[in-house]
Amino acid sequence: MGIIPDGNRRWARRAGLPKEDGYAHGLAPGSLLLHLARDAGIQEITYYGFTTDNCRRPPEQVKAFSEACVEAVGIIASEPVSLLVVGDKDSPTFPKELLPYTTRTDLNGGGIRVNFLVDYGWEWDLAGLKAPGNNRKKICDELRSCDISRVDLVIRWGGMRRLSGFLPVQSVYADFFVVDRMWPDLQADDFFQALRWYQKQDVTLGG
């Protein structure tokens, strides 16, 4: 399962707050969603933290979403999870506090696989691929996100209908569910509606 937690800035603007204040309000929804996914038997979940393109935003916003990602990973790390942070750790905007998690680590006895994309870019992810002609397994092995499994379902909050570069290889056959509600306003039923919808899809993986 892939999670695109969009709408933080729009939520803040509607609440009469500076745009950068919206990111901190996305922490509780992320924690709730992790518990819901684990209870539902989801084996792996990937959160979209921030992208290399996001780093072109005003400095106060970059600082705010970077700090929110560090805090979010800290919350996840307190749970029984198998945690991996994926992103360009050589970038100056990659939070150094997250470097210990760039190798998958079982925490608190291990559990659901949780991936967190930080300073992630699809071009960066694909940069390790070699010339065409490799078989599919080899291509997947060469991805910088190679330790993230194929995604069955992507859920995006905030109403936008786009992947925004989210794991293009792993999401190639993913079904896509959009929640119009902003991410900070997440409700548990958003998750359950997405699961019910997915269970009705004809999943063929191209076959």
Side-chain angles (χ1 to χ4, degrees):
M1 176 177 291
I3 303 299
I4 303 179
D6 194 26
N8 298 282
R9 293 186 300 169
R10 284 174 286 155
W11 181 92
R13 188 170 64 245
R14 291 178 185 180
L17 300 171
K19 288 182 179 180
E20 60 270 18
D21 287 3
Y23 300 109
H25 291 272
L27 294 171
S31 179
L32 171 61
L33 189 64
L34 176 58
H35 293 159
L36 293 173
R38 184 171 56 209
D39 292 346
I42 303 299
Q43 296 178 337
E44 185 167 349
I45 185 169
T46 301
Y47 292 92
Y48 213 0
F50 69 88
T51 72
T52 53
D53 291 333
N54 293 152
C55 295
R56 297 198 297 263
R57 293 176 182 174
E60 62 273 13
Q61 293 183 27
V62 175
K63 181 176 184 290
F65 63 60
S66 296
E67 291 176 349
C69 285
V70 170
E71 189 169 351
V73 170
I75 292 170
I76 293 168
S78 69
E79 300 278 351
V81 297
S82 178
L83 177 61
L84 176 67
V85 172
V86 174
D88 185 0
K89 60 185 179 182
D90 296 322
S91 167
T93 48
F94 186 95
K96 303 311 177 190
E97 300 93 327
L98 300 184
L99 286 172
Y101 302 110
T102 54
T103 299
R104 185 172 297 283
T105 306
D106 287 346
L107 300 166
N108 308 302
I112 181 173
R113 285 166 60 95
V114 180
N115 313 305
F116 210 101
L117 305 184
V118 173
D119 212 336
Y120 172 88
W122 65 269
E123 292 172 300
W124 168 86
D125 195 1
L126 301 179
L129 297 181
K130 295 185 172 60
N134 291 328
N135 60 46
R136 182 168 59 184
K137 183 178 186 303
K138 182 63 175 176
I139 288 175
C140 290
D141 287 345
E142 290 172 351
L143 287 173
R144 285 173 164 163
S145 61
C146 63
D147 196 23
I148 298 179
S149 305
R150 182 179 59 79
V151 177
D152 297 310
L153 172 65
V154 175
I155 311 174
R156 179 169 186 147
W157 275 260
M160 299 298 183
R161 270 72 175 164
R162 56 176 177 256
L163 280 172
S164 299
F166 179 84
L167 295 175
V169 174
Q170 289 92 335
S171 299
V172 66
Y173 280 118
D175 285 287
F176 193 72
F177 187 86
V178 176
V179 179
D180 289 329
R181 201 187 324 274
M182 303 300 172
W183 173 251
D185 287 331
L186 176 147
Q187 296 181 9
D189 196 52
D190 299 341
F191 173 75
F192 294 122
Q193 283 186 19
L195 289 188
R196 290 193 293 268
W197 175 85
Y198 178 73
Q199 290 167 356
K200 297 176 182 178
Q201 304 312 301
D202 182 17
V203 179
T204 66
L205 303 182

